[in-house]
Amino acid sequence: MNDPQVSISLPDGSLKRLASGATAADLAAAIGPGLARAAVAARIDGELSDLSAPLPDGAEVAIITRDDGDPDALYVLRHSAAHALATAVRELHPGAGIGFGPPIEEGFYYDFDVPAPFTPEDLERIERAMAEVAAADDAFERREVEHREALDLFADDPLKLERLAEIPEGEPISVYRNGPFLDLCRGPHAPRTGEIRHFKLLSGAGAYWRGDERRQMLQRIYGTAFYSGGALQAFLTRREEARKRDHRKLGRELDLFSIQDDIGPGLVCWHPRGARVQQELRRWMEDLQQSRGYEVVYTPHLSSEALFRRSGHLPNYAENMYPRMEGEEGETFRVKPMNCPGHITIYAARPRSYRDLPVRLSEVANVYRYERSGTLHGLLRVRMLTMDDGHVFCMPDQIEDEIFLCLELVDTVMTTLGLDYRFDLATRPGGEKRIGGDDVWDVAETALTDALERAGLDYAVDEGGGAFYGPKIDIKYQDAIGREWQGATIQLDFNLPERFELEYMGPDNRPHRPVMIHRAIFGTLERFTGVLIEHFAGAFPPWLAPVQVRVLPITDAHAAAAEGIRQRLLAERLRVELDDRSDTLGYRIRDGELQKVPYLLVVGEREIEAGTVAVRARGAERKQEVVPLDDFIARIRARVEDRSLET
């Protein structure tokens, strides 16, 4: 009698037959010894799994190998590195409580319940202990346990007991052991700790248990890991460059903004120089929108709570909204988390004909969202956000043209700023966090898919990433050091027009329901400005620079002439400063360079007599060019009007 076998489908479409009970590691070995040596995990019927996982008959299986360019391979390695970190911490701090330790986009972290924060010296000791864990080359062993056994295994760790209390009786519980360390974990992991060869602990930070500021503060350690030393070194070099470009650091040095305890976390104060950058971006966006048929509107920062109940924000977005406020006669109000309900009321304020459509409304406005304190991060995550919001109300047969117009606007902004970008199609979220039936979502998702494909654009699908009221196109862009950021969003919405019973009178003299498009090109001005600060390393192009020109008289005798030049430049609507301090000229030049001013104009006796200026352009090092003042004005005006990236 033949032994039972299983049939396995490989990525190239071929089939492999193995003995029943064979694992993914057995499959790799059957394909070839090279693959077996390189394998770290497997994807079985779409699910990332350990190599030790048994293969069901008919499964589709792909073997995951060591590859720093493969997110699945890095996920497994970094998950295992997190466990190696916890192993090391437990060895050095036997009483440490063990929180969560997931892999994240650029590495991993683990939360620990310990009496005091980890110091840099602690991290060095832990990193050495991790190296010993890796050198031990212990196997990661998975097994499933009953609920009662799990409670016994983690009886000395309240954090794990709390997590176990949330798992229903009868649901499978898996644990992983490597050497002396045992953890409650779904997996998957690399086969052995010896896989963790190239890693680095990056920092420590406080983190509330489960992200709840009402719970105890844990100590989080961040780290990263790669399969090759070269990839690790490249990451650390890029990270150091990112540290130099950190918008919080540059924001202080360039006096752009502050976030002050007296006002509150996540609430940005724009200083005059930062406000000039904001003003320039706002004006630019308003001009772009008005040239494309958008009309500017303004809506209140505060609205009736009933408006947000009708829009669906209260049942679906309440955790991100600020608490209600009560008026004298029992009215209840909320500060707005989004602008769309207000724009809907403007559309609905008068009858609309098909001849009026599309109606394009725009507003650069503040909205307010309660972000957890642990998630706040400079300008990138704030509680008062400035949105360059636009909402289009159109007929179904106008959807594609309006999506094209939005995509063209995105391209104009990204190209002007020198940003490479790509598209994600974010589809319906799962569970109860959405409004509208599947038939409506089908139509909306198909419309966005058709628009992207007819525009000839490549895109990735973000399953479940849509807003609660509709699918969306997300624009992701890269900065100067290769980091990817969330940018513009274009959302298609059939649900809110239905909830608000919006109508237009069609050519058949019957009422019809419009379709709504939500779009924000910058996203939020705070986040976008933070990214631009880091992208340009604070050296904004001349059109966007808070100070475009600084005039430097060589001595006090030249100050009056320098002031005359300043007035001439101000008349040309340029942003200019006079630096007539008593410090040496060399000191003032150095200060202008540190402040990243695009143009420094040195004015002395010869320049005054000849009607010229000595121009020191940013990035030209010590090179100085003497040109007539009129020529310099023409040059900088051309740079500003063209929104050139060149100095």
Side-chain angles (χ1 to χ4, degrees):
M1 180 179 291
N2 293 331
D3 292 334
Q5 291 190 322
V6 292
S7 178
I8 304 300
S9 297
L10 301 180
D12 63 1
S14 64
L15 296 178
K16 199 77 173 176
R17 299 195 66 80
L18 300 170
S20 179
T23 66
D26 294 329
L27 173 63
I31 294 173
L35 181 62
R37 288 191 297 270
V40 292
R43 186 166 285 283
I44 303 173
D45 288 332
E47 183 175 342
L48 196 59
S49 305
D50 298 319
L51 281 176
S52 60
L55 302 176
D57 187 34
E60 295 181 358
V61 181
I63 300 298
I64 306 299
T65 59
R66 299 181 193 93
D67 183 353
D68 287 317
D70 183 345
D72 285 345
L74 286 176
Y75 181 96
V76 170
L77 176 68
R78 290 167 175 174
H79 194 182
S80 302
H83 278 235
L85 166 61
T87 308
V89 169
R90 266 286 174 85
E91 289 180 359
L92 297 172
H93 303 270
I98 305 295
F100 294 126
I104 53 178
E105 184 176 359
E106 293 194 328
F108 58 89
Y109 71 78
Y110 228 117
D111 291 339
F112 302 98
D113 192 359
V114 290
F118 293 109
T119 65
E121 293 75 22
D122 289 331
L123 296 187
E124 291 177 6
R125 284 192 291 271
I126 294 167
E127 195 171 272
R128 289 194 294 271
M130 276 186 71
E132 293 175 4
V133 172
D137 198 27
D138 291 319
F140 282 98
E141 299 171 339
R142 181 185 192 275
R143 70 185 181 96
E144 291 193 357
V145 298
E146 298 293 335
H147 201 274
R148 171 43 57 190
E149 184 182 357
L151 292 174
D152 292 339
L153 289 171
F154 299 103
D156 63 344
D157 195 333
L159 302 182
K160 295 299 180 188
L161 292 177
E162 181 179 326
R163 177 69 186 98
L164 283 168
E166 299 168 348
I167 301 176
E169 287 281 356
E171 184 172 313
I173 297 174
S174 58
V175 297
Y176 278 80
R177 179 179 291 281
N178 59 281
F181 181 67
L182 180 74
D183 200 10
L184 183 68
C185 181
R186 293 191 184 95
H189 284 283
R192 311 186 70 84
T193 60
E195 201 67 56
I196 310 160
R197 292 189 289 270
H198 306 288
F199 64 91
K200 181 69 177 174
L201 296 186
L202 303 173
S203 62
Y208 291 110
W209 171 231
R210 314 199 81 162
D212 186 344
E213 60 265 36
R214 296 166 298 183
R215 305 295 301 275
Q216 72 264 42
M217 177 70 77
L218 305 181
Q219 298 304 317
R220 177 172 294 179
I221 296 177
Y222 288 97
T224 194
F226 290 88
Y227 288 100
S228 71
L232 175 61
Q233 188 54 54
F235 169 83
L236 294 175
T237 300
R238 190 167 62 249
R239 188 170 185 269
E240 176 59 21
E241 180 62 27
R243 187 192 65 78
K244 295 175 184 177
R245 292 168 176 258
D246 190 316
H247 72 281
R248 296 166 298 179
K249 170 179 174 288
L250 291 173
R252 289 190 300 272
E253 294 173 356
L254 302 179
D255 194 23
L256 300 175
F257 70 93
S258 62
I259 298 174
Q260 303 177 35
D261 291 341
D262 288 344
I263 292 177
L267 302 172
V268 181
C269 290
W270 292 103
H271 298 195
R273 291 181 181 178
R276 290 172 202 155
V277 177
Q278 284 278 293
Q279 184 181 52
E280 196 64 35
L281 289 171
R282 285 170 181 254
R283 287 176 172 173
W284 181 37
M285 182 53 63
E286 288 173 349
D287 289 346
L288 289 173
Q289 291 179 145
Q290 290 182 43
S291 69
R292 289 160 175 78
Y294 284 84
E295 296 183 278
V296 175
V297 297
Y298 298 107
T299 56
H301 291 224
L302 190 71
S303 297
S304 164
E305 191 174 50
L307 180 69
F308 298 117
R309 187 172 294 107
R310 186 177 185 185
S311 69
H313 285 89
L314 272 177
N316 292 282
Y317 202 73
E319 67 272 16
N320 298 110
M321 296 175 67
Y322 278 91
R324 71 171 63 178
M325 292 173 277
E326 295 189 2
E328 294 180 356
E329 299 180 3
E331 315 101 314
T332 55
F333 299 90
R334 297 267 187 157
V335 290
K336 61 181 179 180
M338 297 182 183
N339 292 305
C340 38
H343 290 191
I344 286 170
T345 62
I346 291 175
Y347 176 90
R350 65 178 180 83
R352 304 284 181 172
S353 162
Y354 73 97
R355 298 180 186 277
D356 301 325
L357 271 57
V359 172
R360 306 185 186 107
L361 305 179
S362 66
E363 180 179 15
V364 180
N366 297 126
V367 297
Y368 306 86
R369 298 177 186 173
Y370 181 69
E371 301 284 357
R372 300 292 181 186
S373 59
T375 67
L376 299 175
H377 183 76
L379 297 176
L380 304 182
R381 197 74 176 263
V382 296
R383 287 174 168 167
M384 187 187 81
L385 306 80
T386 309
M387 302 284 295
D388 65 308
D389 249 338
H391 292 96
V392 179
F393 302 86
C394 63
M395 295 183 286
D397 63 0
Q398 295 172 324
I399 290 174
E400 194 166 289
D401 286 344
E402 292 304 309
I403 296 295
F404 288 166
L405 185 63
C406 293
L407 293 172
E408 182 271 330
L409 186 52
V410 168
D411 183 69
T412 296
V413 170
M414 296 293 131
T415 302
T416 299
L417 292 167
L419 297 167
D420 293 328
Y421 64 97
R422 66 175 185 82
F423 300 97
D424 277 353
L425 175 62
T427 61
R428 72 196 75 185
E432 299 177 356
K433 288 294 183 180
R434 70 172 189 252
I435 57 178
D438 284 339
D439 55 339
V440 174
W441 281 86
D442 288 342
V443 172
E445 289 172 358
T446 299
L448 288 183
T449 301
D450 289 348
L452 285 167
E453 292 185 351
R454 288 175 187 166
L457 300 172
D458 293 328
Y459 63 93
V461 176
D462 176 13
E463 294 287 354
F468 72 84
Y469 47 77
K472 58 181 179 172
I473 298 170
D474 283 330
I475 288 79
K476 308 288 180 67
Y477 58 92
Q478 283 194 343
D479 66 12
I481 59 174
R483 296 172 300 178
E484 189 169 78
W485 302 89
Q486 170 65 54
T489 182
I490 303 166
Q491 303 170 357
L492 188 58
D493 182 3
F494 288 79
N495 285 305
L496 287 184
E498 188 70 32
R499 291 175 80 94
F500 282 89
E501 300 179 344
L502 300 184
E503 293 182 344
Y504 65 89
M505 193 61 67
D508 56 359
N509 289 321
R510 297 168 64 89
H512 296 267
R513 194 77 75 211
V515 180
M516 189 175 177
I517 298 172
H518 310 244
R519 46 112 294 224
I521 306 303
F522 292 146
T524 75
L525 266 73
E526 287 77 15
R527 181 181 180 84
F528 197 71
T529 303
V531 174
L532 290 182
I533 292 171
E534 299 193 5
H535 176 64
F536 292 118
F540 293 105
W543 69 272
L544 194 54
V547 177
Q548 296 165 321
V549 183
R550 185 178 282 186
V551 186
L552 310 177
I554 293 177
T555 69
D556 289 347
H558 310 121
E563 171 61 17
I565 291 171
R566 186 181 80 91
Q567 292 295 332
R568 174 76 188 282
L569 296 174
L570 286 173
E572 296 289 339
R573 301 188 68 178
L574 296 170
R575 297 185 289 276
V576 57
E577 291 179 346
L578 173 67
D579 186 355
D580 59 357
R581 292 174 294 175
S582 58
D583 300 292
T584 66
L585 178 62
Y587 176 88
R588 287 179 287 146
I589 288 173
R590 178 59 178 156
D591 183 66
E593 292 171 344
L594 290 173
Q595 290 297 304
K596 305 182 186 294
V597 178
Y599 300 101
L600 304 177
L601 304 186
V602 178
V603 180
E605 200 63 39
R606 285 182 298 178
E607 286 78 21
I608 293 171
E609 291 177 358
T612 60
V613 288
V615 181
R616 299 177 69 99
R618 186 180 62 209
E621 297 181 353
R622 296 181 179 274
K623 183 179 178 182
Q624 188 167 286
E625 181 184 11
V626 178
V627 299
L629 178 59
D630 287 344
D631 289 357
F632 170 74
I633 290 173
R635 171 182 167 184
I636 187 173
R637 287 301 318 163
R639 294 277 193 270
V640 171
E641 290 169 7
D642 294 343
R643 292 193 169 82
S644 171
L645 296 176
E646 297 179 6
T647 304

